[in-house]
Every structure is written in C-alpha cells, then in structure tokens.
C-alpha cells in the first residue's frame, strides 16, 4: 500500500466469477480489521467510461467510509482477473496491493455463468451452443467489447493467461491463488491462509 495513504484500497479479490467470491465477501464483512465497501463488486477498474490516461479515484474512495484508520480497504470484483486492462490499472493505482484469486473448475464455472445469464435474459442459446458456435459472437471484437462480459463462458476459464498477467505486474508474494473447492470444503484453513497473506 502507498505509505501513509490509508484511503487507498489495498486488497483486491480479482476473481474468478462464479467461484465463491460472494462467500468470501461475506467472511470479509465479519473481520474487524477490514474496511467494507458499500457493496460487493465496485467495478471501478473495469469501467471503460473512465479516462484511464488521468484516472479519477474519487468515486472509488467514496465507496468507503471517509475515516477507516488502520483498517484495510478491499474490493471484491471478480471480473478483474479476466478483463485485460484491470490488473494493470490496479498496479498503477497501488503497486503494493495484495490480490486474491479463487479458481473453480472451468466447466463448472462456465455452466454457472450460463445459468446466471440465462436467468437474466441475457442469453438465448442453449449451454452447448453457447460454448461452441456461440463463441463466434466475440470473435474479432476488441478485448474490452461489452459482449465479452456476457458471452465469455469458455474464455474466462483460460486461467493460465490470467495468472501470467498478474505475475508480470505484481511480485509473487503479493498474489494468493486459491481453489474455490478449498474455500467450500476447508473454509477455516483457507480463511487462515488469507488472514496470513493479509497479515490480519
């Protein structure tokens, strides 16, 4: 974290979508050394309406109480790991930030995302079609095209590229990679690992 600047967000749960980040957010809300944002998924660093040449962090900081003292501010927005510019923007904002990633079996994750989009009415293809020919919907589009937020069932599961991007931007000791199965099945030990990682 930037020394002497407690208003900066210093912890980011960056992904992945449909991998237990809502459960982790609930655990974070119970910890006395963490400063809660006004909601899960602030979606600041994936906001393409922001002028990223001269970013204004005021809206981000407004998502927290003005005085949080020594408490660590955190943001749980699981698209950050997938949305290509997000991690670079976080590194520019706070090069000392600590990042947590929860990974889920890619097939199970894709199915869960499809179920969510189907329920929302954003998807009208069957799951089989969506992960096969439906992928053509994002072919040739820019990396920040809005369609990639919805129709990226398979692409969000390309975890190696996401990990490589994080390792290029942050020292390994500032990154924690976890399995969503462990948070579900061995949550006490997994939460201990997170607490040790954050020094809380």
């Amino acid at each position: 974290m930037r020394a002497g600047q407690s208003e900066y967000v210093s912890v980011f749960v960056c992904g992945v979508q449909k991998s237990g980040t809502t459960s982790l957010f609930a655990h974070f809300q119970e910890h006395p050394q963490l400063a809660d944002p006004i909601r899960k998924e602030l979606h600041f660093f994936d906001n393409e309406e922001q002028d990223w040449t001269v970013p204004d962090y005021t809206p981000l900081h407004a998502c927290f109480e003005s005085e949080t003292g020594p408490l660590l501010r955190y943001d749980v927005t699981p698209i950050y790991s997938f949305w290509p510019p997000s991690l670079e923007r976080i590194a520019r904002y706070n090069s000392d930030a600590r990042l947590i990633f929860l990974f889920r079996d890619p097939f199970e994750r894709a199915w869960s995302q499809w179920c969510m989009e189907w329920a929302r009415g954003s998807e009208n293809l069957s799951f089989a079609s969506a992960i096969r020919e439906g992928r053509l919907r994002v072919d040739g589009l820019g990396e920040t095209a809005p369609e990639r937020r919805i129709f990226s069932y398979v692409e969000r599961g390309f975890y190696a590229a996401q990990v490589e991007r994080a390792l290029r931007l942050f020292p390994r000791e500032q990154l924690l990679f976890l399995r969503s199965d462990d948070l579900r099945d061995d949550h006490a030990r997994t939460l201990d690992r997170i607490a040790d990682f954050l020094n809380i």
Side-chain angles (χ1 to χ4, degrees):
M1 188 173 77
R2 299 187 181 197
Q5 298 189 28
S6 60
E7 74 273 16
Y8 275 72
V9 182
S10 58
V11 178
F12 294 89
V13 178
C14 295
V16 298
Q17 183 195 53
K18 313 308 293 183
S19 295
T21 58
T22 299
S23 294
L24 186 55
F25 179 72
H27 287 298
F28 274 22
Q29 288 180 299
E30 296 177 354
H31 200 289
Q33 291 175 269
L34 297 176
D36 303 328
I38 58 175
R39 65 182 179 276
K40 179 180 181 276
E41 301 197 29
L42 299 180
H43 284 288
F44 182 82
F45 292 96
D46 64 308
N47 180 2
E48 297 308 319
E49 296 180 2
Q50 167 84 260
D51 180 359
W52 288 106
T53 61
V54 284
D56 176 14
Y57 299 119
T58 305
L60 173 65
H61 297 159
C63 292
F64 299 85
E65 292 185 8
S66 58
E67 296 295 333
T68 54
L71 305 184
L72 299 180
R73 294 183 172 192
Y74 65 92
D75 177 3
V76 180
T77 305
I79 199 174
Y80 288 164
S81 62
F82 170 71
W83 203 248
S86 292
L87 296 186
E88 184 175 354
R89 292 165 180 170
I90 292 172
R92 180 181 173 190
Y93 164 75
N94 186 355
S95 60
D96 294 326
R98 292 189 170 260
L99 280 57
I100 299 170
F101 300 80
L102 281 170
F103 294 114
R104 183 180 181 185
D105 174 272
F107 180 84
E108 293 180 357
R109 196 220 63 78
W111 166 253
S112 184
Q113 181 189 352
W114 178 87
C115 290
M116 176 181 71
E117 299 298 354
W118 179 271
R120 287 175 171 174
S122 302
E123 179 60 88
N124 57 19
L125 296 181
S126 70
F127 179 63
S129 296
I131 65 170
R132 293 188 177 108
E133 61 267 23
R135 294 176 66 193
L136 296 175
R137 293 178 291 189
V138 297
D139 273 4
L141 298 178
E143 64 179 14
T144 59
E147 293 85 351
R148 292 191 180 277
R149 294 181 182 271
I150 301 172
F151 304 126
S152 48
Y153 308 113
V154 174
E155 288 73 14
R156 286 181 190 248
F158 296 159
Y159 300 146
Q162 298 171 34
V163 170
E164 289 169 0
R165 185 184 303 127
L167 289 170
R168 286 196 302 269
L169 293 166
F170 293 91
R172 177 63 182 87
E173 61 270 17
Q174 289 173 222
L175 305 172
L176 181 62
F177 302 113
L178 301 168
R179 300 189 319 158
S180 62
D181 287 353
D182 293 333
L183 181 62
R184 182 193 64 211
D185 300 334
D186 193 5
H187 65 274
R189 186 176 300 179
T190 303
L191 292 174
D192 282 345
R193 285 187 64 189
I194 294 170
D196 288 344
F197 174 66
L198 299 180
N199 194 30
I200 56 176

